[in-house]
Amino acid sequence: MNSSRFPSARSFHHNPDAAPDSPEALAPYVDNGEEIFTTDRYTSAEYAELEWDRMWTRTWTLAGLVADIPKVGDYFKYDLGRESFIVVRTGEQPDAIKAFYNVCQHRGNQLVRNDFGSVRTFRCFFHSWEWEIDGKLKLIPEAESYPPNLIADEPPLSAVRCELWDGFVFLNMDTDAEPLLDFLAPLPEHLAPYRFAEMKVVKDLQTPWPCNWKIAHDAFIEVQHVHAVHPEILGFINEYNVQWDLYRNGMSRMLLKFGEVSPKLADRTTVNDGLEGLMSEVDLDPGAYPDTAAGVRKAIQQAKRSWATSRNIDYDMFTDNQLTDDWNYSLFPNITFNAHPEGLLIQRFRPHPRDPQSMVYDLLVLIHPIEDPDYNVPGYMGVEPGTDLSGKTRPKRRIIEYGEDGLGFVINQDAIMMGYMQRGVQSRGYKGARYSHQEQQLRHWHKELERYLSGEK
Ligand code: FES
Ligand SMILES: [Fe+2]
């Protein structure tokens, strides 16, 4: 690893005064080389098979939320590629949660079929073998009809490793993997002020996309495409002067300044509609708007701090930059977080069980519950008008067909790209990806994937 830093044009440090161990510190430069990456990773069944055997079965992935299984016996189902898992609450203690492969030990039927449910026991739909929620065998009907040796071990449900972080449940099929918090470090420390466990789900969408899961994931760990795909947001996002930080285990982040005009726009002085929109969301009096765009980000930071103080909401843990900016994290292998003081957008990219050119995209929005009817949840959270923000009702998961509206304006713009990208990368005329420094998170991520596939990890 090279410990020098990028020349300033290749990365930006939003707070040069940050202490080296602070969450705002610029991470040491990681030299990931300059190779052009092969395209079979997006198209080939053999590559997908290797990816499954060497990466998916050996890494931590986000299965779901602790809050979705509040009572003993509550479970959720988590499907990942060809596997399916059950995550169940087994006791009252906050961490009394176990995970099992979703499979009956008799002849292999799947035990649960719904995404969410509540049970006293898991009873198979086929011949009624039954297990306690902690996985112990409860009953084999007509046990006398089995050779005693075949059932002498009283087969329990097949357990899978399950660990928790701030309200999230992660699973890992590898019994030898490092503990979850070590795997994620230093992300949990950076993200502690957001208090994810206290947030509530306000949006839960799922949609199939006609592309390899990595095509979609790649598109969400860079913002170099914003000027072309999302030009409407350039007025209030600086998507060029980005702080990129690369961490171990393929993790990375970009710190994206909101409330600042993109350098790609000619007019960076006028307080444009986008900036006015952000200021109105924090109830900044139009009379107090700064004269030029340069003052807007600071004005929003101050308004948010005084808004929080007036409502006894603790924003002391947040830096000023965290109050305005998108702290945008890539959790290897298939999760992105857009963290804001108001809430969190989670994107999850899952492979299709068989087809390397299909995937499942999940979008979950969590917010800190609030009962104030005058509260404007910022537009970047993607919350529909009229959504209950009290946290008292958990919206149902909504399945959206490809091409159907519903993902929100910006993500719809991304979704349209997916089919074209998949068709393009499989062309004989395409020679592989050439990443810029603005795409350094992709290079870092793909290098990590290759470490799994080559057996180095
Ligand atoms: S397959 Fe489950 S009881 Fe037979
Ligand atoms: Fe995008």
Side-chain angles (χ1 to χ4, degrees), residues 219-220 222 225-226 229-230 410 414:
F220 286 95
E222 55 92 357
H225 68 274
V226 168
V229 180
H230 319 292
V410 172
D414 292 305

Side-chain angles (χ1 to χ4, degrees), residues 89-300:
R89 174 162 292 285
T90 58
E92 305 286 347
Q93 316 88 286
D95 62 347
I97 289 175
K98 287 194 168 176
F100 304 103
Y101 288 88
N102 180 15
V103 62
C104 171
Q105 299 300 312
H106 178 216
R107 281 191 16 222
N109 186 30
Q110 286 202 322
L111 279 176
V112 305
R113 300 170 177 179
N114 297 326
D115 283 0
F116 301 97
S118 194
V119 292
R120 284 176 192 277
T121 60
F122 293 111
R123 184 192 290 151
C124 179
F125 294 101
F126 206 178
H127 314 93
S128 304
W129 283 36
E130 195 173 355
W131 285 267
E132 306 286 0
I133 54 174
D134 67 1
K136 271 207 271 321
L137 181 71
K138 176 164 190 207
L139 178 74
I140 297 179
E142 300 144 10
E144 71 285 357
S145 60
Y146 294 84
N149 281 343
L150 277 189
I151 53 172
D153 62 339
E154 302 190 3
L157 290 182
S158 193
V160 65
R161 267 182 81 185
C162 160
E163 292 181 18
L164 310 181
W165 163 52
D166 206 5
F168 300 116
V169 183
F170 282 74
L171 302 190
N172 196 327
M173 291 176 259
D174 182 0
T175 45
D176 296 328
E178 64 182 321
L180 174 65
L181 290 183
D182 293 348
F183 174 72
L184 292 172
L187 278 53
E189 192 191 328
H190 293 186
L191 295 167
Y194 295 90
R195 307 187 323 276
F196 298 137
E198 294 170 27
M199 294 181 179
K200 302 286 184 188
V201 178
V202 290
K203 192 173 194 174
D204 183 352
L205 305 179
Q206 185 175 306
T207 184
W209 277 352
C211 62
N212 183 274
W213 69 278
K214 298 185 293 298
I215 292 256
H217 179 265
D218 288 351
F220 286 95
I221 57 171
E222 55 92 357
V223 286
Q224 195 175 9
H225 68 274
V226 168
H227 68 278
V229 180
H230 319 292
E232 300 81 1
I233 65 176
L234 290 176
F236 59 94
I237 290 180
N238 185 338
E239 86 317 353
Y240 185 78
N241 301 107
V242 175
Q243 179 171 338
W244 290 283
D245 291 298
L246 309 177
Y247 303 107
R248 62 188 284 274
N249 287 336
M251 313 282 171
S252 63
R253 72 174 181 184
M254 50 184 150
L255 304 184
L256 260 176
K257 288 184 187 177
F258 279 23
E260 197 169 282
V261 184
S262 165
K264 291 176 193 165
L265 290 188
D267 179 359
R268 299 193 72 202
T269 311
T270 308
V271 179
N272 60 46
D273 290 350
L275 294 174
E276 288 200 348
L278 288 184
M279 289 191 287
S280 69
E281 285 169 352
V282 295
D283 293 336
L284 205 62
D285 180 355
Y289 284 6
D291 296 337
T292 71
V296 169
R297 185 158 160 271
K298 191 95 238 154
I300 295 172

